[in-house]
Amino acid sequence: MGPGPSDIHPRVLNAIGKGTVGHLDPYYLQTMNNLQEMLRKVFKTENELTMAISATGSAGMETTVVNVIEPGDKMLVCINGVFGMRMADVAERAGAEVLTLERPWGEVFTAEDLQPILDAEKPKVVGIVMAETSTGACQPLEEISKLVHANGGLLLVDAVTSLGGMNVEVDKWGIDVIYSGSQKCLSCPPGLAPISFSPAAVEVLNNRKTKVRSWYLDLSMLSSYWSEDRVYHHTAPINMTYALYEALRVILEEGLDNCFDRHLQNHLALKAGLESLGFQYNADPNHQLPMLNAVKIPAGVDDGTIRGGLLKRFGIEIGGGLGAFKGKVWRIGIMGHAARQNNVLTFLGALEQLLAENNYEFSSGSSIAAANAAYATNA
Ligand SMILES: *Cc1c(COP(=O)(O)O)cnc(C)c1O
């Protein structure tokens, strides 16, 4: 129940252990095609250029940035947490002229926030994080997308934590470039980064004047392997592909809407439980992520004692704070296969026991009662 990697569905663990075939084996090529088709469904896009990069979510970030940016291009990065900071660093290394816009951690950006800098600078690319895992804030994208396009830019979105846990509409919202990771709400081990590029973004790739600054992540070569040409680039991580294939099948069998609703119901129950104990959420109440519950650690409660006790005595991992939130915030994940009632109720029960031992005052049993009431109301 941390901020990732999440629990893996047993079917996915079973798939990853199947026999390794060659990266040009007809069985594998068919698996790649089916994987692309399922990724398009989960991303809600018709984008031809939709595939998985052979590395974790951060490589998805680097792939998207390094392919659309040429040295000297202006890229605006919206920063309200750790992953926006990482994106600005990646953009700088890719040779972009990086402009940044900042909001306090836990808050989100409005289109009005972006208007002046878009008007003045007309950046080629605007990068933004949809689910900021360091703060628990959920960034709305539709209005910002319209404004970015009105100013002639491409919208680049980090959907590492959101994909598979809440609605992500690539085509409807006009997202040009998007990346995710296998290890958060897709409930697959870390190791693959799904990406998708709109036709407008592909045109930018085709019109590049300089080579992509990364050989491994150069989409002009990678897309030849993922298309009918099947030109060898690097040896694909065959068994990781099996795992992601099965993880996407699990999600699509449940149905995207059911899957999002399961995340939401478990979030509402967890939130009711935590708030009954006096915990406060970190993110703006109108923009809280379902899959990542970031709460402030109350005064007098020791971060290490409680998180250590949860792990050692109950086998439950939750995340500590990142960056500026170290020692101040807990990040409780209910991502993918982990978004289940038994996890929420076991966690709350264990947390109550540890808080009581550490002389934190609350009404015993209140969090379980509040969570159960939430499950009953929303059932
Ligand atoms: C986890 C995460 C990443 C990085 O993914 P890795 O798999 O750790 O490389 C990037 N962005 C966000 C929002 C994340 O939560």
Side-chain angles (χ1 to χ4, degrees), residues 1-7 183-184 270 291-293 303 306-320 330-335 338 343 346-347 350 354:
M1 298 181 74
S6 59
D7 265 4
Q183 54 132 325
K184 310 263 164 100
L270 176 62
M291 70 289 284
L292 195 282
N293 294 261
D303 179 19
I306 305 292
R307 277 199 296 131
L310 284 168
L311 187 61
K312 280 195 218 90
R313 283 169 38 195
F314 300 95
I316 297 172
E317 180 199 47
I318 64 166
W330 284 333
R331 295 179 303 147
I332 305 149
I334 39 170
M335 296 184 175
N343 279 358
T346 305
F347 165 73
L354 291 163

Side-chain angles (χ1 to χ4, degrees), residues 3 56-59 61 83 86 129 131-134 158-161 179 181-184 190-191 335:
T56 69
S58 304
M61 181 188 288
F83 293 101
R86 182 175 299 182
V129 178
E132 186 39 271
T133 321
S134 61
D158 177 319
V160 176
T161 285
Y179 61 91
S182 52
Q183 54 132 325
K184 310 263 164 100
M335 296 184 175

Side-chain angles (χ1 to χ4, degrees), residues 270-281:
L270 176 62
K271 186 174 167 186
L274 289 167
E275 287 182 342
S276 81
L277 298 175
F279 283 73
Q280 285 177 345
Y281 270 63

